[in-house]
Amino acid sequence: MGITVLPPDVNDSRWAFRGWARSMRVGLMQIKGLRAETADALIADRESRGHYRSLQEFLERVRPDPAQARLLITAGCFDSIAGELTRPALCWRLLAWQEKASLRYLPVPPEYALPQLIAQEVERFGFPLRCHPLELIPAATLPPRRIAAASMSRYVGRSVTMVGVLITEKIVTPNGATQWSS
């Protein structure tokens, strides 16, 4: 579809997803485990006092629960303001803030390896941002001959194997009530 999916950002995200032109910013609502109160406090503080310049400034202004701050770090919400600090380095700074320790001699470990970053995205959002979800399926498990969904009409009456990613489903109960899930 050609849409650029942008990760959540402490200075740009709202609760819901936002889209413009050919881009879409992941909303804070998508971060599994993030409480609405944390997101509301972040957004309210940012709107009243301006953008955050560092993780430290965010921690001092919002004073979040450390577990909630860690979710935001590992979801990439601070990547745009981290400078030379990696996500593991930000986690060290969060720990130092939590323990009221000095930031002076904290390590700056290397960034997580790509497979770990993708695993964190799947864990935090339910889908990867760095690649298409179908790229995570090992080639050996895919059928040898594949067809595009757009050409399914040419295979009416024939048996085909379809590979895809469930985005949402609509469950209709016997009484006619509808439930949506993602």
Side-chain angles (χ1 to χ4, degrees):
M1 287 179 33
I3 295 175
T4 301
V5 180
L6 303 169
D9 186 279
V10 72
N11 282 324
D12 195 36
S13 289
R14 293 180 177 35
W15 178 248
F17 284 66
R18 282 186 319 122
W20 62 97
R22 303 210 48 88
S23 297
M24 177 179 63
R25 172 79 65 192
V26 173
L28 297 172
M29 65 187 281
Q30 193 63 39
I31 303 172
K32 292 181 181 178
L34 186 68
R35 295 190 305 257
E37 306 86 65
T38 302
D40 290 345
L42 179 161
I43 294 166
D45 179 78
R46 181 183 71 208
E47 288 177 353
S48 69
R49 297 171 66 188
H51 284 182
Y52 303 104
R53 293 181 306 242
S54 67
L55 170 66
Q56 191 67 29
E57 181 182 3
F58 167 81
L59 295 172
E60 295 302 327
R61 284 170 45 181
V62 178
R63 308 205 64 74
D65 174 87
Q68 293 288 290
R70 184 167 169 70
L71 284 174
L72 292 168
I73 291 168
T74 57
C77 292
F78 294 95
D79 289 358
S80 66
I81 60 172
E84 78 286 349
L85 298 177
T86 62
R87 290 182 191 179
L90 293 173
C91 288
W92 273 100
R93 276 136 187 84
L94 171 61
L95 182 61
W97 174 78
Q98 185 179 351
E99 299 296 323
K100 296 177 180 42
S102 171
L103 296 176
R104 194 168 177 168
Y105 298 108
L106 292 176
V108 180
E111 187 57 83
Y112 298 120
L114 182 59
Q116 188 172 0
L117 287 170
I118 292 171
Q120 283 181 345
E121 290 172 353
V122 171
E123 183 179 331
R124 294 288 171 262
F125 313 128
F127 54 86
L129 295 176
R130 295 171 189 277
C131 64
H132 191 283
L134 294 180
E135 291 176 35
L136 301 178
I137 300 172
T141 64
L142 295 172
R145 185 166 175 262
R146 296 180 290 276
I147 59 168
S151 62
M152 290 292 290
S153 62
R154 292 186 289 196
Y155 293 86
V156 172
R158 294 169 58 189
S159 179
V160 297
T161 301
M162 184 171 267
V163 178
V165 177
L166 178 65
I167 301 297
T168 189
E169 61 186 341
K170 178 181 176 182
I171 301 169
V172 180
T173 61
N175 67 2
T178 301
Q179 295 177 308
W180 289 94
S181 66
S182 299

